[in-house]
Amino acid sequence: MANGHTNPVMMTASEARKLTGNVYLSRREAAAYLGIGEQTLANNKANGPKLYKLFGKAMHRLADLDLWAEQRLAH
């Protein structure tokens, strides 16, 4: 694409665990898991899924990502 953005690709929790080996994901992995862009996730820092600092890196737990996504589903 001309703007350098790529289309996000959703993955399952199982695929995410295989990718990372645990239940914590980086912003890039979390965005891919949710099927949204990294910038969208970054822009929702204030009201987005909880962040944890692990080894100096901001990480998201899969359970928090699932809860955040569930809360945003249109019913």
Side-chain angles (χ1 to χ4, degrees):
M1 295 178 130
N3 63 7
H5 294 269
T6 59
N7 290 331
V9 177
M10 286 191 74
M11 65 177 118
T12 66
S14 176
E15 291 168 332
R17 285 188 188 100
K18 285 179 189 175
L19 177 68
T20 63
N22 61 40
V23 295
Y24 291 91
L25 303 178
S26 68
R27 178 179 289 148
R28 175 175 286 167
E29 295 163 338
Y33 175 68
L34 293 170
I36 61 176
E38 288 180 60
Q39 193 59 50
T40 301
L41 189 56
N43 291 344
N44 281 282
K45 195 178 345 182
N47 63 352
K50 186 173 179 178
L51 280 171
Y52 298 86
K53 279 284 195 174
L54 295 173
F55 309 108
K57 294 182 179 182
M59 305 290 279
H60 296 278
R61 274 187 344 151
L62 279 173
D64 294 328
L65 296 172
D66 290 338
L67 177 63
W68 187 69
E70 181 70 28
Q71 291 170 341
R72 274 141 193 82
L73 286 176
H75 293 282

